[in-house]
């Protein structure tokens, strides 16, 4: 069975869905509100080097579907090191990782100068956290991160000085959302990042993957979709410029809080449930202001966490040059999420507002509903995205969601006449 399919949104989920649908011999057209594909809309070139915005890294343990997709379309990967430093807001470094301890696979201190009481506290915390993560995985425990913190006595320096900043880095959301998140999801991802397979990046960055996925793909860009309405045996899709038509199936690959184009009479109930998915807003700054790094350049690492001594105001900065070969030897480029102070104006390269899906106790209910909707005989409108699949809402869940939706379409209703 083959269908004409409209995909609304060209982020990772939309492009992966379009690719999988075309492999299944469907005719696919993509609609994108912005002039560039959503997946690489903010990528920059600085001094001839590539800057993915946001920077994307992945491990084979936690991103298998994404890495498989990249391999299928011919985009290679390369291994990187993700060493980290922790500094106070006065830029004095109090901890630095340096690779992994043989056999155990735990992050180690960067040099003997950091072998002190704080380093030992970090080591003890890592050991405790690993044991707890294994137990949560065995028990399938649904406790939130906040509940776990109330039940276990973690060293505040370890938890607030390292773990919460790292989780904030991965999920790019505020601490209040992390505390409502199922702990097993977050801690398993953290464990695989710290102790699992080596971290990798895409050769050529996100843009290389996008170029492969969009090859020969019909696209209406630069105009938001304003109408999705079932008409007879098809679904009418129309953007603000009046482009579109009637399609057999529609894959909605936008955020769950951006569904105003759905006909309210037909999809009002579904919209209401999907809009219960939470999102956190923030701003990613791309800049060249070295004040966000440790005072001594020899202490700079790929991930740099700053914290006030009261352990209340975390901030993280990525040193892009450390993980992007095309920027090797060039002027430093940094990415800082929700900085505690603004970079110097003449050092700012871009300010990018981002919305991130967050997970709470109600998210599983939405996922269950999606599965049921997509199984309905004759179903014509489907939803996918990083928010629409179990797990931490990252590129991996976006790819998994896209594959699940294309599979569901293949078994939905009758073929096109």
């Amino acid at each position: 069975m083959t269908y004409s399919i409209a995909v609304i949104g060209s982020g990772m989920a939309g492009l992966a869905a379009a690719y999988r649908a075309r492999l299944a011999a469907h005719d696919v057209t993509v609609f994108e509100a912005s002039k560039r594909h959503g997946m690489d809309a903010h990528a920059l070139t600085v001094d001839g080097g590539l800057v993915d915005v946001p920077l994307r890294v992945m491990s084979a343990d936690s991103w298998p579907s994404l890495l498989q997709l990249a391999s299928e379309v011919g985009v290679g990967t390369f291994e990187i090191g993700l060493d980290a430093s922790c500094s106070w807001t006065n830029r004095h470094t109090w901890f630095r990782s340096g690779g992994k301890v043989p056999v155990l696979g735990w992050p180690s201190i960067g040099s003997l100068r950091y072998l002190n009481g704080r380093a030992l506290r970090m080591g003890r915390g890592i050991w405790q956290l690993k044991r707890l993560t294994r137990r949560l995985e065995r028990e399938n425990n649904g406790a939130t991160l906040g509940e776990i913190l109330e039940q276990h006595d973690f060293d505040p320096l370890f938890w607030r000085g390292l773990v919460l900043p790292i989780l904030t880095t991965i999920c790019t959301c505020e601490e209040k959302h992390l505390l409502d998140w199922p702990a097993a999801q977050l801690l398993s991802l953290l464990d695989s990042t710290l102790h699992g397979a080596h971290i990798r990046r895409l050769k050529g960055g996100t843009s290389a993957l996008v170029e492969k996925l969009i090859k020969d793909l019909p696209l209406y860009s630069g105009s938001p979709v304003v109408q999705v309405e079932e008409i007879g045996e098809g679904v009418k899709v129309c953007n603000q410029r009046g482009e579109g038509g009637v399609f057999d199936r529609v894959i909605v690959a936008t955020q769950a809080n951006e569904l105003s184009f759905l006909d309210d009479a037909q999809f009002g109930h579904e919209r209401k449930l999907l809009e219960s998915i939470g999102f956190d807003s923030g701003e990613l700054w791309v800049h060249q202001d070295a004040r966000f790094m440790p005072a001594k350049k020899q202490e700079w690492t790929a991930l740099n966490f700053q914290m006030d001594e009261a352990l209340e105001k975390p901030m993280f900065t990525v040193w892009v040059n450390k993980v992007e070969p095309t920027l090797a030897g060039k002027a430093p480029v940094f990415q800082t999420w929700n900085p505690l102070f603004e970079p110097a104006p003449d050092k700012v390269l871009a300010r990018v507002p981002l919305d991130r899906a967050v997970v709470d106790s109600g998210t599983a209910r939405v996922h269950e509903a999606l599965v049921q909707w997509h199984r309905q005989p004759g179903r014509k409108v489907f939803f996918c995205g990083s928010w629409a699949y179990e797990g931490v809402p990252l590129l991996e869940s976006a790819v998994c969601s896209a594959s699940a939706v294309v599979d569901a379409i293949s078994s939905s209703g009758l073929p096109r006449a």
Side-chain angles (χ1 to χ4, degrees):
M1 296 187 295
T2 61
Y3 300 101
S4 62
I5 298 177
V7 176
I8 303 173
S10 63
M12 185 70 261
L15 292 182
Y19 172 76
R20 293 285 181 223
R22 288 201 292 172
L23 281 184
H26 301 297
D27 296 324
V28 179
T29 301
V30 174
F31 293 78
E32 171 55 49
S34 67
K35 293 182 179 180
R36 298 179 62 178
H37 301 94
M39 182 61 181
D40 67 341
H42 306 295
L44 300 174
T45 299
V46 179
D47 290 339
L50 169 70
V51 182
D52 268 349
V53 183
L55 185 74
R56 294 175 169 103
V57 299
M58 54 216 71
S59 71
D61 290 335
S62 296
W63 281 263
S65 299
L66 176 62
L67 291 173
Q68 174 61 33
L69 177 63
S71 176
E72 284 182 32
V73 300
V75 175
T77 64
F78 59 95
E79 188 176 314
I80 62 170
L82 272 188
D83 49 344
S85 66
C86 297
S87 304
W88 303 123
T89 48
N90 64 7
R91 302 173 65 197
H92 174 73
T93 301
W94 55 268
F95 176 77
R96 178 179 172 180
S97 69
K100 297 182 178 180
V101 177
V103 182
L104 296 177
W106 295 347
S108 69
I109 57 173
S111 66
L112 290 178
R113 64 174 297 187
Y114 297 105
L115 185 56
N116 51 34
R118 291 194 183 105
L120 294 176
R121 290 163 67 182
M122 288 296 180
R124 179 174 181 269
I126 290 171
W127 177 73
Q128 290 178 310
L129 188 62
K130 192 174 183 68
R131 291 184 61 192
L132 171 61
T133 302
R134 293 290 180 266
R135 182 171 66 79
L136 291 176
E137 291 173 342
R138 289 195 306 270
E139 297 174 356
N140 195 24
N141 191 310
T144 67
L145 195 64
E147 291 170 341
I148 290 297
L149 278 179
E150 292 177 355
Q151 299 167 8
H152 295 81
D153 185 24
F154 283 105
D155 188 319
L157 184 68
F158 167 70
W159 193 257
R160 300 197 61 82
L162 184 65
V163 174
L164 282 179
I166 289 179
L167 291 176
T168 300
T169 303
I170 294 172
C171 301
T172 49
C173 68
E174 294 184 11
E175 177 183 320
K176 64 181 181 181
H177 296 296
L178 293 175
L179 296 178
D180 290 334
W181 209 299
Q185 285 187 11
L186 289 177
L187 297 183
S188 293
L189 179 61
L190 179 63
D191 183 72
S192 70
T193 301
L194 292 178
H195 312 129
H198 297 291
I199 304 299
R200 311 194 70 80
R201 277 193 25 85
L202 299 174
K203 292 181 179 178
T206 301
S207 297
L209 179 58
V210 169
E211 288 302 313
K212 294 289 188 179
L213 293 175
I214 66 171
K215 185 178 179 182
D216 302 323
L217 179 64
L219 170 70
Y220 293 121
S221 63
S223 180
V225 167
V226 295
Q227 180 186 17
V228 173
E229 182 181 2
E230 292 191 11
I231 300 176
E233 293 300 313
V235 185
K236 184 178 180 180
V237 179
C238 185
N239 66 14
Q240 204 168 60
R241 287 196 300 257
E243 298 163 324
V246 177
F247 298 84
D248 297 320
R249 300 290 183 264
V250 173
I251 298 175
V252 177
T254 65
Q255 293 181 177
N257 58 354
E258 297 178 350
L259 301 174
S260 61
F261 50 79
L262 290 173
D263 180 75
D264 194 58
Q266 296 175 347
F267 300 101
H269 171 72
E270 294 182 359
R271 276 182 54 187
K272 184 176 181 180
L273 180 58
L274 295 179
E275 288 170 356
S276 69
I277 292 286
F279 285 81
D280 192 19
S281 299
E283 194 168 37
L284 182 66
W285 292 61
V286 186
H287 62 91
Q288 296 181 297
D289 190 338
R291 293 179 298 165
F292 289 80
M293 302 294 286
K296 297 179 180 180
K297 190 167 184 178
Q298 62 265 35
E299 295 174 349
W300 290 12
T301 53
L303 301 178
N304 299 268
F305 303 100
Q306 284 192 9
M307 177 77 71
D308 66 308
E309 296 201 32
L311 301 176
E312 294 178 349
K313 298 178 180 179
M315 175 174 66
F316 77 86
T317 296
V318 177
W319 181 21
V320 182
N321 307 61
K322 186 72 172 179
V323 296
E324 176 47 55
T326 61
L327 287 172
K330 298 182 179 180
V333 177
F334 311 112
Q335 293 187 19
T336 303
W337 175 255
N338 286 345
L340 297 177
F341 60 93
E342 292 191 3
D346 61 333
K347 300 290 187 181
V348 175
L349 301 173
R351 295 175 61 175
V352 181
L354 295 173
D355 280 354
R356 294 297 199 191
V358 296
V359 177
D360 58 28
S361 58
T363 304
R365 182 168 61 95
V366 176
H367 293 166
E368 291 168 3
L370 284 172
V371 171
Q372 295 303 315
W373 297 345
H374 293 171
R375 288 176 178 172
Q376 293 171 351
R379 178 81 189 186
K380 298 181 180 65
V381 176
F382 300 78
F383 301 94
C384 72
S386 63
W387 56 270
Y389 202 83
E390 64 181 359
V392 179
L394 298 171
L395 297 184
E396 175 67 15
S397 58
V399 173
C400 291
S401 173
S403 297
V405 161
V406 173
D407 288 343
I409 287 175
S410 298
S411 57
S412 68
L414 299 172
R416 181 177 54 188

